[in-house]
Every structure is written in C-alpha cells, then in structure tokens.
Amino acid sequence: MNEEKEKGNILEEVTSSEYKYGFVTDIETETAPIGLTEDTIHYISNKKNEPEWLLEYRLKAYRHWLTIEEPDWALLNHPPIDYQNIIYYAAPKQKKELESLDEVDPELLDTFKKLGISLDEQKMLTGVAVDAVIDSVSVKTTFQDTLAKHGIIFCSFSDAVKEHPELVKKYMGTVVPYTDNFFAALNCAVFSDGSFCYIPKGVRCPIELSTYFRINAANTGQFERTLLVADEGSYVSYLEGCTAPQRDENQLHAAIVEIITHDDAEVKYSTVQNWYPGDKNGVGGIYNFVTKRGLCKGHNSKISWTQVETGSAITWKYPSCTLLGDNSIGEFYSVAVTNHHQQADTGTKMIHIGKNTKSTIISKGISAGKSNNTYRGLVRVSKKADNARNFSQCDSLLLGDKCGAHTFPYIKNNNRSSVVEHEATTSKISEDQLFYCQQRGIDTEKSIGLIVNGYAKEVLNKLPMEFAVEAQKLLAITLEGSVG
Amino acid sequence: MLLNIKDLHVSINGKEILKGLNLGVNKGEVHAIMGPNGTGKSTLAAAITGREGYEITSGEIIYKGEVINDLAPDERANKGVFLSFQYPVEIPGVSITNFMRTALNAKREFLGEDPIPAGEFLKKMEEKKKLVDIQSKLTNRSVNEGFSGGEKKKNEIFQMAMLEPTMAILDETDSGLDIDALKVVANGVNALRSEDNGFVVITHYQRLLDYIVPDFVHVMYDGKIVKSGGKGLALELEEKGYDWIKEQL
C-alpha cells in the first residue's frame, strides 16, 4: 500500500521541467593541469600517494590508450572530444583527515541534502550505507563499523589500494582489462577514485550498499572505478546513483565497474543514472562512456544488473555478464529514457561459457522529443555451454514522431543444445490510452508519466524500494514537455 | 439545467456527424439515447467529454451554466463529467488502485483539496468494490489488461462510483454483457442515481432500460435527436424497430 501511495504522490509532485539538480556547489577544488600526458598521470598518482605498481598500471594503460582509436560503431553523434582540453583530476580541498561528519565542509553536506542524500544516522533507519563520491574523491564512508562486524570491506578505491592492496591487485582489471576498449584504457590511466567492496565467504550483506557519484567542478571528466568482489556463498545488493549540475560544456565521464562472483555468490547491482542531459536544444550535458562488466566466475553464481538511464546527453553503456561458472545466471533489466536531443546506445552482453548457464535481458527504451534510443545487445553461446538458455525482450516506446528507436540484437550461438529466445516490440502511447486517463481527470503530462511508469514496471520492480521511487520520479520529470 | 446541448454540430476530419443536436438534462434525471449504428451516439459522448479530433463547428455544450466547448478533457472530468467507455482501454503496468488514486487526487487537486489519506482511500475502494461486485484481486491488476468484457464494464462503473460524477455518460455499457453482469452493472448505476446527478445512457437495446429505468428516451438518427418520449418509447422501438422511426421522418 505504501508503495502505491508513493507512486501516486510522485506523479503529483512532479511539476518542474527544469533539471532539478542543476546547482553548483562552491567548494574550493584542487585540480590537475588541463590535458593528458604522462605528467598528468604522475600528478594524479602522486596526489593519491599511490604505490609504484599502480602508477605502472596507469602508465601501461595510458601508453596502450595512445595506440587506439575512439570507437565509432555506436549510433551516436557528437563533436570530436578534445582529450587535451579536459581536467583529469579535481579533489575538494581538505585541510586534514576527518573524524566525523561534523568536520565535513557544511557546503558539501548541503549538496548532499539537495540531492536527497543524508549521510547522517537516519540512513541507519533506511538501511543504506553511502559511500559518497564528489568529483572523484570519496568524502565520507558510513556504516563501516556495521559492515566490519561481518567482515565486509566497503571503502573508497583509494583506501582499498592502501589498506587491501592484495585484494585490489588480485581482482582489478581481471574483468575489464585496460586493453578492453578506448574508454576503459582511459579510465585505467586516469581514474581518480571510486568504490571497493568485498563480501567474504558466506556473508549476506545486511544492508543495501550505496554510492552516489556527482560531477561538480567545471570541465572535469569523472573517471571513477568500482570493484566488487563477492566471495563464495555471499550476497550483496549494491546501488549506484548519479547526478551532475547544469553546465554548458559537455563533460566526459568514463567509468569502469567490475564485479566478480565466486561459487554460489550473488550480486545485484542497481543504477539510477540522472546526469545532466543538456538543455532542450541539445546544449551541454554529460558524455557518459561506461564499461560495466560482471564475471560469474564460480558455479551457481549470479549477477543481476538493473539500470534506469534518464540522464546524460550521450550514453554508451553495456553492462555485461560473462557466465563462466556452470549453472551461473546473468540478468539485465534496463529502462532507458531519452528526450529532447539525448542519445543513448545501451544494452548488454551475455557471454555463456559454462554449462547450464542462464541469462535474461529485459530492455525498455522510451524515446521522446528529437532523441535517439538504441538497444544493442550480444548473446554469445560458446561451444562448451551445453544447455545454455537466454531470453531477451526488447521493447521500444515512442512519444511523438521526431524521435528514433533502434534495436541491434546480436546472437552468436555455437552450441546446439542451447535455447536463445528474442522478443521485440515497438509501440507508441496511443491516443486512446491518453484520452482514457484524461477522461478520469488526469492531465496530459501526468497521464504520460503514469503510462510510461506502467510500461517500465517490470524493470522498476527490480529496483530496491528507495530507488524505485526516485526512478519513477525521474521518468516523469525526464518526459515533461515531450508531448503537445 | 445540468447539461444543456444547443444545436450541436460536430465533424470528424471534416465530415459532419452531429447535425444540430439538442439535449437538456436536469439533475436527478436519466436520459436514454437510442438509435441505429452510425447515427452519432458515440460521437455525442466524445464531444461532451472533449475528445481530440471531434471538432465542434457550431453550437454549445453548457454544463452547469458554463460553456465547456473548449475545455480540456481532464478539466471537464474534474468538473464532474464522466464517461463509461464502450471500449475501455488497457493500461499495462498500472494497477486499478494506482490509477484510481491518481485520478481521485487529480480531482482533489483541481478542487484545491489535499490528497486523499491512504486509509480513507482504501475504505472507499472497499465500499465501491462491493457496489459492482468486484473482486479485490482485480483492483491489483493492470487497468483492463486481460479483463473479460463483463469485468471491463464493471470496472467502468466502479470508477464512476469512485469519482462520483455529476454528469455520467454510459456509452453502450450493456454491450458484451450477459444477463447477470448486466444486472450487476445496472444495480451499480441505480445505487449511484441521486437528486444531484444526471445520466445519459447510450444503448442499442431496450433490455438495459428494464434495469436502468430512464425518465426520458430519445431516438437519434443521422446526427440529430428525431424523437423523444417517456420510457414507453423504448418499448415501442423494441417492438416496431428503427425502420418505424425512419418511416416517420
């Protein structure tokens, strides 16, 4: 009932079509010189007091990056990115190590409040631990004590490098090597911070782990990376939310997320991505080039991706699963909304290697305005993947007649005992549906919000409750002004 | 007068469907509109509720003393005009509960009231479900998705009961109903009849009018009301058929 109530309220609350998170926090930042050279990498590594091995890793990645070209196969149009005109590192200046929240810059805390993130003890009641990342550096991590009791490590990537170098060394780059693609290589060279999470054997993480990323300083690319390791028989649900303030320049974001699940382990990874999409005329907005991949390394392991993508001027993102362990399961649930001049090319890869592996893909694309929304997916079944199963469903919903929806489902099946199913639909919000809602007193915009949320329900239901509410709000806000 | 339609002309894509229709409904009255297919009965319902594409070329629709020709459909609805659809529309993923709460709160917002408290809403749902014999399971399902013909029509009357309109138009609510469902629907409508509201019941057949007894019966033909009378007219029509009307013209 509460859920229903929330859903009802959301649609009422939504009245403003301006980007809600368009504010700039005035925090002194310390930035690297503009552009990218080996010096930049030395600068970043030095700032972070990194060990030699990590600097070497960065430099290898950088040298590889120099040899490769930016990919152009996605259905995306944007002016060439000038990689020498980007600031690769910005950290909020802090005088000393902080003991408690009281010592955190009040402006920073205020930013979190505007975002609806509270770092205080109230979070305990909602069962969420937040590792907040502003402009690349983790500011404050909560609930580490609670987590420590279970032996769970949840900290910033930098801390992990210092305190758990053996784990970082063992897993970093094993799912997404720096040679993987252009943006992954770039991230490996210049990543500033991110999150690290390790769930030990047999531990079921008692709370939802949450990280908020937010791009704040002007002209700063954000290159964070997340490494999540679930040891045998463990479970964790991990939430990632993103917002960025309104700016006229396009900002580059190239993140890496790596997940590893061992035998019988399960990771549920949920994202709500709401970065600044640019204005109605397509000016500004985030370029979001992200490499997310999970490796179901162990038998009976499971990785489930859920994403709600409403933001960014450009989204290039394919959260994938490599199903190596026998009986492992990969899932991808996605809602991608584009409005005005937004462009999204997103989907997943399910690579079946182990026997009896299963994957499910549910993708709901919603395009409005003059936007373009592309689903791109690959289901690959290797020779050895006996009895592999995949089910894919890719639906597209169009609002108006100036937007585009595209579907590129690739299937490479090398095993005769496997079953791969693909379903796809394309539909428009019908005038009948709109009139039916309006006749019940619901205005056009709320009607669209209602219909679209209904359309995406199958995916929204996969989100943890507190995210589902935010996601529904975002869908409605994103589509404001898209009709009539 | 609750609803006063004066010399209404309505075109769809430039083709005139209603050709000077007059109709007056007072509070507390039930008017039945009968007539053969293609005479403009559903067009009348669409014009009153403000559906896009139904162009009023001349004439007036006056509701509670206000000309509503140019009001948006949701505004008319929130002022108390309700249409029970001939073909209720499916809205996948939106539960009836959610749909009704959204609609009810839209109306309350329109009237400057606060959203309905959860407890009150639930109580109201329970009460109105009984009225049309709707199972609780049904209200958790998506609006009209996979509903039987009878369930769809019951759901329309249920929504009417929830929204408590002043002016309700029932467009062929009897079509596709078996006799038991017809009785349930009719009983629901009768329970909602009061001195404060009016009904326009559009139907092909006299049979619905055995259960929802009208105060007036109008016969439509070629975009106009060509004959009006008391409930006896419906029986006469049933007996003599629509050709009898045509012969009289």
Side-chain angles (χ1 to χ4, degrees), chain A residues 235-239 266-270 304 306 462-464:
Chain A
Y235 167 85
V236 65
S237 169
Y238 191 93
L239 325 179
E266 178 178 351
V267 172
K268 189 173 153 59
Y269 194 102
S270 312
S304 181
T306 305
K462 300 286 175 189
L463 288 172

Side-chain angles (χ1 to χ4, degrees), chain A residues 4 32 49 70 74 191-192 219-220 281 302 370 385 432-433 436-437 446 459:
Chain A
E4 289 287 354
N49 285 321
E70 193 183 312
F191 73 91
S192 33
N219 256 335
T220 314
N281 303 313
K302 179 176 174 182
K370 293 176 181 166
D432 285 346
Q433 280 177 325
Y436 191 75
C437 294
K446 279 185 190 162
V459 173

Side-chain angles (χ1 to χ4, degrees), chain B residues 142-155:
Chain B
S142 298
V143 177
N144 293 321
E145 200 180 36
F147 285 24
S148 70
E151 283 171 334
K152 282 184 182 173
K153 295 302 172 79
K154 280 186 191 178
N155 182 26

Side-chain angles (χ1 to χ4, degrees), chain A residues 1 432 436 439-440 446, chain B residues 51 83 101 109 156 159:
Chain A
M1 197 59 240
D432 285 346
Y436 191 75
Q439 211 303 305
R440 297 304 183 244
K446 279 185 190 162
Chain B
R51 181 154 198 167
L83 173 62
R101 179 194 294 278
E109 191 185 334
E156 293 294 292
Q159 292 181 41

Side-chain angles (χ1 to χ4, degrees), chain A residues 149 170 431:
Chain A
K149 263 185 243 163
K170 183 174 174 188
E431 283 175 23

